[in-house]
Amino acid sequence: MKEIILIKTGEIALKGLNKSSFEDVLVKNTKWRLHSLGQFKFRKAQSTIYCEPQSDDIDLDEACRRVSRVFGIAAFSRARVAAKDFEDICENTLDFLGEELEYAATFKVEAKRADKSFPMKSPEICRELGGRILERYHHLKVDVEHPDVLVMVEIRETAAYIHGKQLPGAGGIPIGTSGKAAILISGGIDSPVAGYMMAKRGLELCGVHFASPPYTSERAKQKVIALMEKMAEYCGRMKLFVVPFTEIQEQIRDKCPEELFTIVMRRFMMRIADQVARKQDCGALITGESVGQVASQTVKAIACTDIVTDLPVFRPVIGMDKREIIAIANEIDTFETSILPYEDCCTVFTPKHPRTRPRLDLVEAAEQALDADKLIAQAIAGIELVEIKR
Ligand code: ATP
Ligand code: MG
């Protein structure tokens, strides 16, 4: 019995002339996510993408789970393929949806006839197939408003497809169709969520993480890798650049006023991320900042950090409460990893009283004590590249 996955694109359908190239990227991304499960063939027709497993031993449950995490897919369904013959459609419907129907109280049949040469019209298919279902399951009632089980029959060019209710997809637009951006990723709750949100808008991501060994441990770095592996279920393959940050932090501690430590440190992060991003062809930076959450996330502090980069800085969680951010972290399964208790470089040498309204001229004056260009060049030369796969 052959089953396939029918994929419905969402926003892509609105892309007019670009629609086809958006769909091509979506197919490429989906193919990549599924390739380790076996071979699939993809076909586009009538705003549906047909994703057909090429062998019987492919794990379709896992394939559906992966498809549900591909951006650009509004909805999908696992469908049974039947011949364009009413008897075969009935037989397959009862076999494929029988178990669901057995435990349901109500149902409804919907039919779509894209192939107008099929001899029965849609209302007739619904009526006749509904009758067959009632013959088999006497306890069932038809409910056209809120059925427990929706039986969908689509008569298309090459075959008939039978499926239940469509499942929701991940939404958004395909990764890569908006270009690339670098996410500044800590081991915290917010930055993985921020990365996920921008990937949903079609950005391919690379990660930049600042590590300060021995103040931060190897386990803290592994935690960031683990977080990105979770993100990769949605965001796809990514490169992670781990930047050695110890020297810079020690120099700031030794040479700058304590209350400006955090803001100067964040400006260095931005400068380095800017350079990494440009080398990787990224058009933007992303952070997990949210206004007022901590001293470095006041409006004035954000203004002081933004000014060191010409790239747009996307902060998708800027107006969100921690609770709202946590809800998304749970949805994408990063929360439990994020709360593991390892140090981040941001919590190393934190001043007792950080400036919440730093003055740019004083920050710039404080940085005069440092050889910024040299420190940045050294840090960049020491970057470790980690390939994140899933
Ligand atoms: P998160 O939960 O993402 O760690 P946070 O609330 O702890 O955020 P901060 O520690 O002030 O906030 O960091 C704000 C943002 O700065 C983070 O969301 C992230 O984008 C970036 N950032 C912080 N620490 C690092 C780091 N070690 N490496 C890379 N980026 C970092
Ligand atoms: Mg943090």
Side-chain angles (χ1 to χ4, degrees):
M1 295 298 168
K2 204 168 154 207
E3 288 178 22
I4 71 167
I5 304 173
L6 296 177
I7 292 171
K8 306 274 177 185
T9 57
E11 246 177 82
I12 298 180
L14 308 174
K15 296 289 175 204
L17 290 177
N18 286 333
K19 185 176 156 194
S20 178
S21 63
F22 271 74
E23 282 178 345
D24 290 343
V25 177
L26 179 62
V27 166
K28 191 179 109 225
N29 293 351
T30 314
K31 219 179 230 173
W32 169 256
R33 296 293 173 82
L34 296 181
H35 85 281
S36 64
L37 294 175
Q39 266 222 320
F40 288 81
K41 205 165 111 193
F42 289 80
R43 197 158 48 83
K44 303 186 289 184
Q46 296 147 337
S47 68
T48 301
I49 294 169
Y50 296 72
C51 167
E52 289 179 38
Q54 297 298 291
S55 61
D56 294 337
D57 57 348
I58 287 180
D59 180 351
L60 265 196
D61 288 335
E62 175 61 17
C64 286
R65 203 187 67 83
R66 293 190 190 184
V67 163
S68 75
R69 287 162 168 71
V70 176
F71 292 130
I73 296 177
F76 67 98
S77 38
R78 184 174 170 160
R80 172 67 70 82
V81 185
K84 286 197 286 186
D85 165 77
F86 184 66
E87 287 308 320
D88 200 52
I89 291 171
C90 290
E91 205 175 294
N92 273 292
T93 302
L94 293 169
D95 184 57
F96 185 55
L97 296 172
E99 202 175 306
E100 269 185 70
L101 290 165
E102 196 169 334
Y103 294 105
T106 59
F107 80 106
K108 171 190 178 183
V109 180
E110 259 179 37
K112 260 196 217 151
R113 195 179 53 130
D115 173 9
K116 302 293 180 205
S117 72
F118 190 73
M120 295 164 80
K121 289 194 172 144
S122 298
E124 193 183 350
I125 300 172
C126 294
R127 204 173 50 240
E128 293 296 321
L129 181 58
R132 294 288 186 94
I133 291 171
L134 288 168
E135 263 171 37
R136 167 80 66 92
Y137 299 104
H138 300 294
H139 70 285
L140 279 178
K141 289 209 159 46
V142 174
D143 180 349
V144 290
E145 297 288 333
H146 306 288
D148 294 340
V149 176
L150 176 69
V151 177
M152 283 287 304
V153 180
E154 304 187 35
I155 315 279
R156 303 248 182 171
E157 296 311 319
T158 47
Y161 300 95
I162 297 146
H163 58 87
K165 237 187 217 125
Q166 286 188 350
L167 301 168
I173 52 179
I175 284 178
T177 56
S178 300
K180 277 178 84 173
I183 167 85
L184 282 82
I185 184 151
S186 67
I189 298 166
D190 308 330
S191 40
V193 170
Y196 159 85
M197 288 174 77
M198 295 318 300
K200 189 169 183 174
R201 298 312 304 160
L203 282 164
E204 181 184 341
L205 304 183
C206 66
V208 181
H209 174 68
F210 297 90
S212 291
Y215 305 105
T216 62
S217 64
E218 174 64 22
R219 289 210 297 186
K221 187 179 95 187
Q222 292 305 326
K223 175 183 171 184
V224 172
I225 294 172
L227 279 172
M228 286 193 79
E229 281 172 353
K230 295 262 185 197
M231 288 166 69
E233 292 216 6
Y234 294 89
C235 307
R237 268 185 302 181
M238 289 173 285
K239 285 187 161 75
L240 167 64
F241 299 94
V242 182
V243 184
F245 208 47
T246 318
E247 173 75 16
I248 291 176
Q249 287 200 292
E250 286 178 340
Q251 292 268 333
I252 301 172
R253 176 197 60 190
D254 295 345
K255 297 185 177 163
C256 296
E258 191 193 320
E259 71 273 15
L260 294 181
F261 174 85
T262 308
I263 191 75
V264 172
M265 178 191 74
R266 297 199 62 77
R267 282 162 56 93
F268 271 86
M269 282 186 174
M270 282 299 204
R271 289 183 180 110
I272 293 169
D274 174 292
Q275 290 199 23
V276 175
R278 286 176 197 279
K279 262 214 187 104
Q280 293 303 310
D281 249 348
C282 294
L285 301 176
I286 304 167
T287 78
E289 288 161 302
S290 154
V291 165
Q293 199 185 75
V294 287
S296 63
Q297 297 177 26
T298 63
V299 173
K300 283 254 187 313
I302 288 174
C304 274
T305 42
D306 259 7
I307 210 157
V308 301
T309 175
D310 290 332
L311 290 173
V313 182
F314 296 149
R315 299 178 168 90
V317 304
I318 195 74
M320 289 166 74
D321 289 351
K322 201 74 184 184
R323 225 180 31 183
E324 294 167 317
I325 300 171
I326 288 174
I328 299 179
N330 275 319
E331 218 176 281
I332 62 172
D333 196 28
T334 51
F335 182 71
E336 294 300 329
T337 309
S338 289
I339 58 174
L340 294 173
Y342 309 126
E343 288 280 289
D344 179 51
C345 71
C346 277
T347 49
V348 176
F349 316 139
T350 37
K352 281 191 206 73
H353 303 291
R355 269 285 136 80
T356 52
R357 272 177 284 166
R359 262 178 51 190
L360 182 61
D361 55 340
L362 297 182
V363 174
E364 286 174 344
E367 285 177 357
Q368 291 304 311
L370 306 167
D371 189 344
D373 290 344
K374 189 172 149 211
L375 286 170
I376 290 169
Q378 270 173 0
I380 287 179
I383 283 178
E384 179 198 350
L385 169 62
V386 182
E387 298 278 354
I388 308 286
K389 292 191 198 120
R390 184 76 196 186

